[in-house]
Amino acid sequence: MNENNNDSRRDFVKTAAVAAAALAVKEVGFPAIAKAASPIALPALPWADNALEPFISKNTIGFHYGKHHKTYVDNLNGLIAGKPEADMDLVAIVKSSAGRADKTAIFNNAAQIWNHTFYWNSLRPKGDAKMPPAIAGMVEASFAGGLDGFKKEFTDAALGQFGSGWAWLVSDGGKLKVVKTPNAENPLSTSATPLLTLDVWEHAYYLDYQNKRKDYAVAVIDNLLNWDFAAKNLPTV
Ligand code: MN
């Protein structure tokens, strides 16, 4: 075989691989994250884009989901094309790239995809939710002051995260805790199981609240947290 034949065979193999990957598109759904291969898909929002108004506007969702979240998906698919990560599910990509200096871009984009999908599911339109008893009991047992104590601690985490990041309600060692993470980081590589999250990057609130992160945090925590989602994420003992 001469060199030209080798080149065209390589091109054919590459084209076939791309076609196969395109057929393998799957949703990254919640709460069960599909095992999905490359390319990673942008999952649908769990509610209409205006459903969180007046607390989070349709305009914010348009940019936050339609631009920011989508860009992380597009970036990750570009970064992992032809790499081992192209055959891994999103959680495996996040875990295997965490803390790796040579995988920073893959980690940042993969974790931000996971974090945002988790965030959308952590929210629900006001008015159709009661706290499931299982999680209500754990909140009472885990936070001094019960639900009010949780709200204060979660708000403090949201405000105390300097710069961009996330506040999380997690289950760890049979208790609920509040933690915060910078930038794209999340609790997936720790012993804790995430139950709810709040995005405190400026793009999450700047269009609606400008610099007033506290007003955004309080509005979401008081009105939009999806306790059914939190309950579903509780580890089964
Ligand atoms: Mn965000």
Side-chain angles (χ1 to χ4, degrees), residues 6-234:
N6 276 336
D7 281 350
S8 54
R9 186 175 182 288
R10 257 198 302 276
D11 285 347
F12 171 77
V13 169
K14 215 196 259 174
T15 307
V18 169
L23 287 173
V25 172
K26 286 176 197 146
E27 289 271 296
V28 183
F30 273 83
I33 301 173
K35 60 178 214 51
S38 176
I40 299 291
L42 178 67
L45 286 170
W47 19 252
D49 58 3
N50 63 353
L52 304 184
E53 291 187 338
F55 310 106
I56 298 177
S57 68
K58 176 179 172 167
N59 191 31
T60 287
I61 298 296
F63 281 97
H64 199 175
Y65 171 75
K67 304 288 184 192
H68 290 276
H69 195 177
K70 181 179 185 300
T71 299
Y72 295 126
V73 172
D74 293 343
N75 285 347
L76 182 66
N77 283 323
L79 287 163
I80 66 177
K83 299 207 170 124
E85 285 86 355
D87 297 319
M88 293 161 62
D89 68 50
L90 186 62
V91 170
I93 296 173
V94 171
K95 288 184 176 178
S96 65
S97 60
R100 292 267 305 262
D102 57 331
K103 304 265 185 187
T104 304
I106 287 178
F107 173 80
N108 284 339
N109 285 282
Q112 283 294 78
I113 296 168
W114 193 90
N115 294 350
H116 280 89
T117 305
F118 200 83
Y119 171 60
W120 307 132
N121 283 277
S122 293
L123 309 179
R124 52 113 190 98
K126 183 179 171 63
D128 62 354
K130 276 197 80 176
M131 242 170 144
I135 199 132
M138 289 190 77
V139 167
E140 288 300 319
S142 301
F143 297 99
L147 183 59
D148 285 344
F150 156 76
K151 285 183 178 180
K152 184 182 182 320
E153 214 175 299
F154 203 59
T155 305
D156 287 349
L159 300 184
Q161 175 53 46
F162 183 78
S164 297
W166 302 81
W168 304 85
L169 174 67
V170 301
S171 172
D172 195 10
K175 269 193 86 171
L176 304 189
K177 293 176 187 167
V178 167
V179 297
K180 57 184 193 283
T181 59
N183 302 316
E185 286 178 32
N186 61 43
L188 284 183
S189 301
T190 72
S191 60
T193 303
L195 305 181
L196 291 174
T197 195
L198 181 68
D199 188 342
V200 296
W201 285 58
E202 282 187 348
H203 65 229
Y205 58 87
Y206 217 85
L207 294 175
D208 295 331
Y209 298 88
Q210 292 74 51
N211 60 321
K212 299 187 282 287
R213 187 190 288 190
K214 184 175 185 179
D215 291 0
Y216 155 75
V218 168
V220 171
I221 293 166
D222 279 347
N223 297 289
L224 301 179
L225 289 183
N226 185 345
W227 289 102
D228 288 322
F229 180 63
K232 275 185 210 145
N233 291 323
L234 280 173

